[in-house]
Amino acid sequence: MTRRFTPGKVVAWLVLIAFLVLTIAPFYWMVRTALTPAADIYADRTAVFPSHPTMVNFWRVLGLVDAQTARDAGGSGAQIDFVRYTMNSIIYSTLIAGVQTFCCAMAGYAFARLRFPGRDLVFGVIIAALMVPPIFTLLPNFTLVKSLGAIDTFFGMVAPNLLMTPFAVFFLRQFFLSIPREVEEAAIIDGAGKWGVFWRVIVPMSRGPLITIALTTSVWAWKDFLWPLLVGRGEQTRVLTVALGVFLQQSPNTQPDWTGLMAASTLSVLPVLALLVFLGKRLVQSLNFTGIK
């Protein structure tokens, strides 16, 4: 059976390809700039590929060359402790994603299945919190963390976003509502309590949505900049996004070290890309459900 290409399908494919190009283009240009020698960055700006590709920008960002070699390559001699800052980012994003996903799953299940006074009112307040811009809570959170003496600690960095986000609670609640009650009733007949039903039945059936929330939260936490900049000031808690900003400030006053910055940015994308590739199949599977009952 041959597939028929209608004008509507052709237009749809062209639109998808255009959006794909627009999405990939910044990443391509980032990698291209990272592979371009600093002396050629303006001379080759219209070329699709660099005329003289080099890996020296990656080596000098990682501190694998001496300061003089880095300056000869067009840099300022600045380096990034990539391993330390990457580990800090992994700790920061993993703590937020793991704890937040678990707590939001429990909250979503409680709003979907448990009956208690004020349930709908509390859920309405949580949904209303979606309309509050995060910037409005920045100063109160900073004041609270400072009063607790948690500045420059991982606890202070993860505390405001550790337990829940309104969207994750709403998202998981809608999925839990789509699970047949008969499955839970069968588990209760077998002797399982509320916690047993949630942990042994609901969680395994909800791996797709849970992975989706964990993945999106990890990506958000990985690229978070403003809050870690305010709270994680020291070397021990500095995350990779903040380190890139510090690296840019160490560039010469004449012009930014674009090749070094793009090399560091390319390296910072690799862990998230690996996570997306590893969990990509489950992420696609989790999109094949409807959360509306």
Side-chain angles (χ1 to χ4, degrees):
M1 181 178 178
T2 58
R3 296 184 177 180
R4 299 178 58 184
F5 289 94
T6 62
K9 288 184 178 180
V10 174
V11 172
W13 276 104
L14 291 176
V15 171
L16 289 175
I17 292 173
F19 275 106
L20 180 63
V21 172
L22 290 175
T23 303
I24 295 178
F27 296 97
Y28 158 74
W29 203 256
M30 177 179 66
V31 176
R32 179 199 175 280
T33 305
L35 294 173
T36 303
D40 298 342
I41 187 172
Y42 295 108
D44 282 352
R45 56 186 174 182
T46 59
V48 178
F49 301 102
S51 303
H52 307 90
T54 178
M55 295 291 291
V56 69
N57 298 316
F58 294 96
W59 306 148
R60 63 186 179 86
V61 166
L62 293 173
L64 301 179
V65 297
D66 57 77
Q68 185 58 44
T69 303
R71 294 188 184 95
D72 294 341
S76 61
Q79 299 175 358
I80 295 179
D81 193 345
F82 193 80
V83 175
R84 169 183 286 183
Y85 299 147
T86 300
M87 288 303 302
N88 290 345
S89 292
I90 290 175
I91 294 172
Y92 178 68
S93 58
T94 301
L95 281 174
I96 291 178
V99 178
Q100 186 182 117
T101 301
F102 181 69
C103 293
C104 289
M106 291 192 295
Y109 182 72
F111 286 121
R113 288 291 190 259
L114 303 184
R115 297 184 179 276
F116 53 89
R119 182 189 66 174
D120 295 338
L121 176 61
V122 174
F123 184 69
V125 171
I126 291 177
I127 295 301
L130 286 170
M131 297 183 291
V132 179
I135 194 66
F136 283 6
T137 61
L138 186 67
L139 183 58
N141 285 335
F142 179 79
T143 303
L144 177 60
V145 169
K146 184 178 181 180
S147 64
L148 294 175
I151 295 295
D152 204 18
T153 65
F154 279 109
F155 171 75
M157 291 174 63
V158 304
N161 304 297
L162 188 63
L163 297 181
M164 60 83 69
T165 56
F167 173 76
V169 174
F170 170 77
F171 179 84
L172 294 174
R173 172 188 178 270
Q174 295 304 109
F175 179 79
F176 294 150
L177 287 174
S178 68
I179 298 177
R181 289 183 179 271
E182 292 77 8
V183 176
E184 301 172 63
E185 292 171 355
I188 293 174
I189 293 174
D190 290 338
K194 290 294 184 181
W195 175 255
V197 171
F198 171 75
W199 185 250
R200 299 179 182 178
V201 178
I202 300 300
V203 169
M205 294 180 64
S206 310
R207 283 181 295 181
L210 291 175
I211 290 175
T212 301
I213 292 297
L215 185 58
T216 54
T217 305
S218 298
V219 174
W220 169 84
W222 185 269
K223 64 184 182 65
D224 191 17
F225 174 77
L226 183 56
W227 181 253
L229 176 65
L230 293 175
V231 180
R233 302 173 180 175
E235 293 281 337
Q236 299 298 326
T237 56
R238 181 177 295 167
V239 297
L240 200 52
T241 51
V242 177
L244 293 179
V246 174
F247 177 82
L248 182 61
Q249 294 173 358
Q250 294 173 343
S251 301
N253 294 328
T254 55
Q255 63 180 10
D257 183 8
W258 292 119
T259 55
L261 182 63
M262 292 301 105
S265 299
T266 301
L267 293 174
S268 70
V269 170
L270 294 181
V272 178
L273 181 62
L275 183 64
L276 289 172
V277 171
F278 180 71
L279 297 178
K281 184 177 180 181
R282 291 191 176 277
L283 178 60
V284 172
Q285 292 174 347
S286 69
L287 299 178
N288 295 327
F289 75 90
T290 173
I292 303 176
K293 186 176 180 181

